[in-house]
């Protein structure tokens, strides 16, 4: 399900957008202040976020500065590229340009139509999908990524010797162990990590990882992979925070860290 975070202090606007999101079959989380945003993005609740609608004028902060924090915070790296649409009462061109330069993807000037905002979000996702497909095609052409490895969730027990250490997978009880400790992962997270482990020298686009771990990849947003990667990293950090296991290749996707 598409999950939208709305940061807006006007209850009337929030309720209107909530109704519109419900009609689209989307989930919406509403925050009415700036101080709650970063803690929410660091929580498990943000794991499936698809976009942020951010009011520029908030009672306890500046939406533009908050956008910058989201883009550059190292502890929410998986969401640093999430689409952000500004809501602004400012009509000056310089304010709109500043919002885009600060990291926003689009804006809606108040008053606005909720249907227009939905259309703008869908347009952003279409552009992202097109860019990701082009990146995936480029990676394959350059032979950086080969064909996807076999389904890691079937077959016999596996052992992987990687730069990050030794990994053991036991399919009988779906147990994945690293440094002799069992990882507490969801089924999707386990599939993502096993896919990366089976091809340690490859860079996978979001779409390739989604195809490898989902039976219905066309019905899910590729950006949900980012949220799963964030969750995997948190679990790995509980075992050994000094080792970077997964590397983000900006504009391309993910792969295992190499020496």
């Amino acid at each position: 399900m598409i999950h939208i975070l709305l940061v807006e202090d006007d209850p009337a606007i929030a309720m209107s957008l909530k109704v519109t999101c419900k009609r689209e079959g989307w989930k919406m989380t509403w925050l009415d202040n700036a101080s709650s945003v970063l803690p929410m993005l660091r929580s498990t609740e943000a794991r499936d976020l698809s976009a942020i609608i951010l009011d520029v004028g908030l009672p306890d902060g500046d939406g533009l500065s908050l956008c910058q924090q989201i883009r550059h915070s190292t502890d929410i790296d998986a969401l640093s590229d999430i689409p952000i649409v500004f809501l602004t009462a400012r009509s000056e061109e310089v304010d709109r340009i500043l919002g885009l330069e600060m990291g926003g993807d689009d804006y809606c000037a108040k008053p606005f139509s909720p249907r227009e905002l939905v259309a703008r979000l869908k347009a952003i996702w279409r552009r992202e999908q097109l860019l990701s497909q082009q990146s995936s095609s480029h990676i394959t052409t350059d032979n950086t990524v080969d064909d996807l490895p076999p389904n890691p969730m079937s077959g016999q027990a596996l052992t992987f010797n990687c730069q990050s250490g030794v990994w053991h997978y036991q399919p009988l009880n779906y147990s994945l162990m690293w440094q002799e400790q069992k990882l507490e992962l969801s089924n999707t997270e386990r599939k993502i990590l096993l896919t990366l482990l089976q091809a340690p020298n490859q860079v996978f686009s979001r779409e390739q990882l989604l195809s490898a771990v989902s039976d219905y990849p066309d019905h899910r947003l590729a950006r949900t992979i980012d949220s799963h990667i964030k969750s995997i990293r948190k679990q790995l950090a509980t075992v050994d925070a000094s080792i970077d296991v997964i590397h983000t290749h900006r504009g391309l996707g993910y792969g295992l860290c190499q020496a």
Side-chain angles (χ1 to χ4, degrees):
M1 176 183 290
I2 291 176
H3 183 187
I4 306 296
L5 171 62
L6 172 64
V7 188
E8 167 61 60
D9 63 320
D10 187 330
I13 292 178
M15 291 303 102
S16 176
L17 287 175
K18 190 168 186 178
V19 170
T20 301
C21 286
K22 185 176 182 180
R23 287 174 180 169
E24 292 288 330
W26 301 353
K27 173 184 175 182
M28 192 189 87
T29 297
W30 172 36
L31 300 177
D32 62 2
N33 61 83
S35 59
S36 300
V37 175
L38 292 181
M40 185 272 182
L41 293 180
R42 296 184 182 110
S43 70
T44 56
E45 188 181 358
R47 184 175 300 180
D48 60 347
L49 275 180
S50 307
I52 299 174
I53 303 171
L54 179 59
D55 187 15
V56 170
L58 294 166
D60 62 340
D62 182 351
L64 298 176
S65 299
L66 183 57
C67 176
Q68 271 199 319
Q69 293 180 63
I70 294 170
R71 293 299 188 220
H72 300 294
S73 293
T74 56
D75 57 345
I76 54 171
D77 181 65
L79 294 173
S80 62
D81 293 329
I82 191 169
I84 296 177
V85 176
F86 284 116
L87 300 181
T88 176
R90 304 173 184 179
S91 58
E92 294 294 330
E93 181 183 29
V94 65
D95 292 319
R96 299 196 299 270
I97 293 174
L98 182 60
L100 297 176
E101 289 181 344
M102 296 283 266
D105 295 278
D106 205 344
Y107 66 89
C108 272
K110 298 178 181 179
F112 64 91
S113 163
R115 292 179 63 184
E116 176 190 358
L117 182 54
V118 166
R120 288 180 180 273
L121 285 171
K122 290 180 178 179
I124 291 172
W125 292 328
R126 283 196 300 270
R127 290 196 298 268
E128 278 196 334
Q129 190 76 12
L130 179 60
L131 289 173
S132 295
Q133 289 172 352
Q134 291 173 342
S135 296
S136 176
S137 175
H138 176 70
I139 297 170
T140 304
T141 301
D142 288 345
N143 296 320
T144 307
V145 172
D146 302 322
D147 293 334
L148 291 175
N151 184 354
M153 301 304 284
S154 61
Q156 58 185 4
L158 302 171
T159 297
F160 307 96
N161 291 292
C162 302
Q163 178 190 336
S164 56
V166 180
W167 303 70
H168 299 287
Y169 173 61
Q170 175 52 257
L172 293 179
N173 59 1
Y174 302 105
S175 172
L176 180 60
M177 300 188 68
W178 178 48
Q179 298 191 9
E180 304 303 323
Q181 294 192 46
K182 182 179 178 181
L183 299 172
E184 299 299 328
L185 303 168
S186 70
N187 190 47
T188 298
E189 291 161 2
R190 190 182 307 108
K191 286 181 179 180
I192 290 172
L193 193 46
L194 284 168
T195 299
L196 295 175
L197 288 168
Q198 284 195 306
N201 297 317
Q202 295 184 14
V203 178
F204 291 91
S205 69
R206 295 181 179 93
E207 286 72 23
Q208 287 174 314
L209 287 174
L210 194 61
S211 295
V213 304
S214 176
D215 294 330
Y216 306 99
D218 293 339
H219 295 173
R220 301 179 62 185
L221 291 173
R223 186 162 292 280
T224 60
I225 292 296
D226 296 344
S227 298
H228 289 304
I229 293 292
K230 177 184 177 182
S231 179
I232 293 170
R233 283 173 169 156
K234 283 186 176 181
Q235 176 62 204
L236 296 175
T238 65
V239 177
D240 191 337
S242 67
I243 299 179
D244 292 326
V245 176
I246 302 174
H247 179 65
T248 301
H249 296 265
R250 295 293 181 184
L252 299 176
Y254 298 99
L256 294 186
C257 291
Q258 301 295 326

